[in-house]
Amino acid sequence: MKKKTHFEQILFTVDQGIATLTLNQPETCNAITDPPIIAEIEKVCSLINNDIEIKVLIITGKDSAFSSGGNIKDMIAKKGMFQGSPAKLMENYRKNIQRIPLAIHQIEIPTIAAVNGAAIGAGCDLALMCDMRIASKRAKFGETFLNVGLIPGDGGAYFLPRTVGMAKACELTFTGDIIDGYEAFTMGLANYLVEHELLMEKTFELARKIASKPPEALRMAKRLLYMGQYLTLPHLLEQSAALQALCHDTKDHMEALSAMFEKRIPQFKGE
């Protein structure tokens, strides 16, 4: 059954284990630097981690844009998180926009960005914070901070090189070029490129496939993949053995084996 949770800045629904977070501020092209939307994104991330029935999160944008990133009008007016001395601005970044990459990076389930339009600056980085990206043919991506005399202040320098490699990350950052969905797909920034009308259909198709897996093992698999970016091989193998031992002891593991031998679809319960 589809469940909808009320928020002011975003739309949030859960249907058959798939959560969808839709940025719902079209008047700012879904900017994500205002404190209320930051708080709601953070709240959703916490909610997801505490609900074993949610298996996949989709992030997308309302109307024509995915996210414009920073609120440019606030930057010009030097208000909101863009006001104050350099010391104050530093704290504003730490206590506002930087809460988003930390919250999304800590999400325990797979995340998919359904990029329906422009993903610019921090909006591009928001897509990069997700584990996977599906781009509409109307999508645009731009690490455009230098175009306005800024640097990636929200984690882009962390996520972009890990997605496209250092050389391409340098090119995109130093030029500030905006690329289309096709170029994003060819460099590995997007997993899939689809017709705009098929974006959510393709996204939900991938989400349903992922959501069909045992929920506890799915979360452990994600954890292990990210551990593998930092650990040495001996340490990763040690972690793998520990998590694998836990998986062997679950009812879902035995259900998967039984279903395989009985030639039926497994019924996982997160146990």
Side-chain angles (χ1 to χ4, degrees):
M1 188 174 77
K2 191 170 186 177
K3 296 185 294 183
K4 183 178 180 179
T5 304
H6 178 71
F7 289 98
E8 297 292 335
Q9 309 288 317
I10 63 175
L11 304 175
F12 184 69
T13 60
V14 180
D15 188 14
Q16 298 181 336
I18 300 170
T20 305
L21 187 167
T22 304
L23 304 174
N24 190 30
Q25 295 296 300
E27 67 278 5
T28 64
C29 294
N30 300 318
I32 55 171
T33 48
D34 296 332
I37 197 169
I38 293 168
E40 291 188 0
I41 292 172
E42 195 173 42
K43 186 173 182 179
V44 163
C45 294
S46 177
L47 183 155
I48 286 169
N49 282 343
N50 290 300
D51 190 343
I52 193 64
E53 294 185 6
I54 300 178
K55 301 173 183 177
V56 183
L57 170 66
I58 296 167
I59 297 179
T60 192
K62 183 75 171 177
D63 293 343
S64 61
F66 177 76
S67 174
S68 61
N71 188 324
I72 299 296
K73 291 182 179 179
D74 283 356
M75 287 185 198
I76 294 171
K78 292 189 178 296
K79 69 177 186 177
M81 67 164 282
F82 304 110
Q83 62 181 310
S85 66
K88 175 62 175 175
L89 280 163
M90 179 179 175
E91 286 303 301
N92 287 346
Y93 268 83
R94 291 179 61 248
K95 294 178 179 178
N96 288 282
I97 185 68
Q98 291 184 355
R99 289 158 52 195
I100 294 178
L102 291 172
I104 293 177
H105 196 56
Q106 291 168 6
I107 291 178
E108 297 176 0
I109 60 172
T111 54
I112 307 170
V115 186
N116 54 300
I120 304 300
C124 179
D125 293 341
L126 177 63
L128 293 167
M129 293 170 203
C130 294
D131 303 317
M132 297 157 281
R133 286 152 295 282
I134 299 179
S136 152
K137 288 188 176 178
R138 295 182 190 173
K140 303 286 184 183
F141 297 85
E143 194 75 352
T144 54
F145 297 93
L146 281 171
N147 293 352
V148 291
L150 298 174
I151 51 90
D154 60 331
Y158 177 94
F159 296 104
L160 188 57
R162 284 168 168 78
T163 303
V164 299
M166 182 58 80
K168 270 297 177 184
C170 287
E171 180 184 344
L172 291 171
T173 303
F174 299 159
T175 64
D177 285 348
I178 295 175
I179 61 172
D180 61 20
Y182 177 75
E183 189 171 354
F185 173 67
T186 58
M187 71 172 63
L189 194 155
N191 296 69
Y192 297 95
L193 177 66
V194 298
E195 296 292 341
H196 182 74
E197 295 73 18
L198 301 177
L199 175 63
M200 296 313 295
E201 180 182 327
K202 177 62 180 177
T203 304
F204 275 99
E205 177 188 321
L206 177 60
R208 283 191 295 269
K209 184 181 292 187
I210 294 169
S212 71
K213 306 305 178 186
E216 288 289 4
L218 183 62
R219 291 184 181 218
M220 290 185 201
K222 173 170 175 173
R223 197 176 309 155
L224 198 62
L225 283 170
Y226 281 95
M227 285 180 181
Q229 294 187 57
Y230 316 107
L231 298 179
T232 63
L233 179 58
H235 285 100
L236 180 66
L237 291 173
E238 190 73 16
Q239 288 289 335
S240 301
L243 293 177
Q244 192 74 301
L246 293 175
C247 289
H248 274 288
D249 198 44
T250 61
K251 293 180 180 178
D252 280 346
H253 169 57
M254 298 310 296
E255 167 63 12
L257 295 178
S258 297
M260 186 180 300
F261 282 106
E262 295 167 12
K263 301 186 186 304
R264 60 176 174 82
I265 297 174
Q267 301 296 315
F268 299 123
K269 298 180 179 179
E271 300 176 351

